[in-house]
Amino acid sequence: MVLTPVPAKAQQLYQELGGREGISQLVESLILEIATDDRIIHYFADADIDRFHEMLTLHICEVTGGPCTYTGAPMPEVHRGMAISASEFNALVEDLIAAMEAEKIPVGTQNKLLAILAAMRDDVIRL
Ligand code: HEM
């Protein structure tokens, strides 16, 4: 089997976030933020948080160029029926920013991740 290496440039954001370990830690911080966010915590009442942690870590690893393969369901499928509003989406973005601040991720790196996630907005809201 021939493994094609991912070019260093493509992996840059993944590396900036501290690789798999850094992303896992960031998702942990995000979960702590969500847990105290009355605007959106109700969505997670029945969620399997260990799975959410693992799947979001894999997802972020993959979309930032890391050597991971996301094995969860596609974004629209996951969020269909939740009817997440635009302001609830923004609430989660605020929680993510707070988590990135807590993890001392530089603002330039924060903005790169936010740009990638913002592009997925229509796959998550009003479904
Ligand atoms: C770009 C933004 C978002 C991304 C990339 C994202 C990504 C994910 C991923 C990867 C999962 C795990 C899927 C699986 O287990 O197969 C998930 C689950 C979930 N997401 Fe999102 N999400 C986003 C926005 C939101 C927002 C704004 C909310 C609510 C306000 C939300 C609520 C949930 C809930 C409740 C689950 C757990 C579903 C369950 O296990 O039953 N997500 N999301």
Side-chain angles (χ1 to χ4, degrees):
M1 185 173 67
V2 179
L3 288 177
T4 312
V6 179
K9 175 86 178 133
Q11 281 203 22
Q12 195 179 323
L13 181 52
Y14 168 75
Q15 299 294 356
E16 282 178 40
L17 290 168
R20 178 77 181 251
E21 199 43 53
I23 293 168
S24 175
Q25 193 53 53
L26 172 60
V27 173
E28 183 81 42
S29 281
L30 173 63
I31 290 169
L32 292 177
E33 294 294 332
I34 292 172
T36 56
D37 189 340
D38 292 341
R39 298 169 297 181
I40 56 172
I41 182 61
H42 59 279
Y43 282 106
F44 294 85
D46 295 328
D48 175 342
I49 295 300
D50 286 342
R51 180 188 161 94
F52 178 70
H53 180 267
E54 191 189 343
M55 287 303 147
L56 189 56
T57 300
L58 270 184
H59 186 263
I60 293 176
C61 173
E62 187 180 89
V63 300
T64 57
C68 305
T69 304
Y70 172 62
T71 55
M75 288 300 95
E77 214 169 281
V78 172
H79 301 94
R80 185 159 290 127
M82 291 191 199
I84 297 167
S85 70
S87 54
E88 287 166 338
F89 181 89
N90 291 343
L92 186 129
V93 169
E94 278 179 34
D95 291 343
L96 177 61
I97 292 170
M100 290 191 290
E101 284 291 315
E103 296 302 322
K104 303 199 176 354
I105 293 171
V107 172
T109 304
Q110 293 187 20
N111 287 339
K112 285 185 223 168
L113 179 58
L114 291 172
I116 291 173
L117 297 182
M120 295 171 194
R121 188 172 176 270
D122 289 345
D123 286 339
V124 170
I125 66 168
R126 299 193 194 100
L127 298 176

